Amino acid sequence: MSSTQKAAAPAAGSDYAHKLPPQEEDFSGWYTTLVRAAQLADYAPVKGCMAIRPYGFALWENMQRLLDARIKATGHVNAYFPLLIPESFLKKEAEHVEGFAPQVAWVTQGGDDELEERLAIRPTSEAIICHFYSKWIESYRDLPVLINQWANVMRWEKVTRLFLRTTEFLWQEGHTAHRTGEEAEEETLRMLEVYRAFLEEDLGVPVHKTLKTESEKFAGAERTYSIEALMKDGKALQAGTSHFLGTHFAKVFEITFQDETGTRQFVHQTSWGTTTRLIGAIIMTHGDDTGLRLPPRVAPYQVVVVPIYRKAEERDAVYAFVDRVKAALAAAGIRHTVDTDDTQSPGFKYNEWERRGVPVRFEVGPRDVAAEQVFAARRDKKEKTPIPLASLAERTQALLDDVQAGLFQQALDFRAAHTFDADSLDDMARILEDKRGFVRARWCGSADCEAQVKDKLSATIRGLPLGEADDPGPCVVCGKASPRRVLFAKAY
Ligand SMILES: [Zn+2]
């Protein structure tokens, strides 16, 4: 927090001057420095808000495009709902309003006129979407309703950090309505799996699918599932949630349908979301002391081309060849840029693009031109290989696939090396202090035992991992019998 605040107003044009502290020494300083130095985002005049810069937004657009395709492939369609929600709507579901009330920003005035009813800037859209669903859903033939929205939301946060926790953020929120609870529960788990696949296959971020405890679930949900990732500082990050809402909202918003027998029934609902926080997950899963390491599937530029020459006559030959390289990359649909800045040395450019996480760099000098090749350096490991122009498209695509797989494997290895079993609170405390990471320990299910761990160790139950075999034994806090291990960690 304090480092975020102190660094709030960097001098104009000082992006390149920021020195990145080593991750081991100051992970939080490393993170906030890098977000600005790599030109992903910048602080706004209103605390907790941010400007997402073009490089960061290009990353978000690539993520959005891939996730949107996955959401549509599972039968959903997009729509848009209003930003402003009347206070009376928000108040209808008691748990929901209680959960969100401390974070709601209100509009009380329009122009010079005070409003008769306060309007909430959406912190999430259940209340307003339920209003429409009560009008749109009439018969069993209208179900299921499978709608997703891409939007911004606002939650007044006290402690903020770029991408990870901001007052305004971008997200997608899915809201579905079904005939039966089983169907809705199935949908909840289907979307959890969509998120897992997106995180692991597109972002290279390994996740656990978990069921949240009562104290950690969404306000108004019957059950909340989440995907949990492990960051390089050993802290967990909740990377997406999927909620089974049951009929809570349907009852207060009167969302009913007539079944085949003509009987009125309440719909069963779900909601699920992921946010720009995922950009933080990418940075903290893959980044190293040099800077970002972006997964090729979402990197704004998959390849950066750096022309190298000393004399003017070399320059023309190098650029003529670079044009042929560009044409080959463009034909293969590989996102790329050429660093044509004549005022900087190749070495400076290498550092800069490494800091900004471009997966592959092509170096093109007079000798490469003569040999009709580029020299390819990969960002995930210190390795350089020549690639002939004749096979540039296939070889580059293969290299990008390899970097994508390599980043995921490194993250998997890191998580495996930072996951521990603990059978006592002392063990758990020692692990969280010395090694950090996920601690697998047994828990009896009581809220009191959960709270004790939180108070004593500042660690929370990240969730009950799905699909794991029973492993009965004594609760790590009270010693009572418990069926299996759950995931504890310090978390963002
Ligand atoms: Zn217990």
Side-chain angles (χ1 to χ4, degrees), residues 443-446 449 475 477-480:
W443 171 60
C444 64
S446 97
C449 290
C475 170
V477 184
C478 69
K480 273 192 209 142

Side-chain angles (χ1 to χ4, degrees), residues 30 53 106 290:
W30 170 86
R53 300 184 67 172
W106 296 101
T290 308

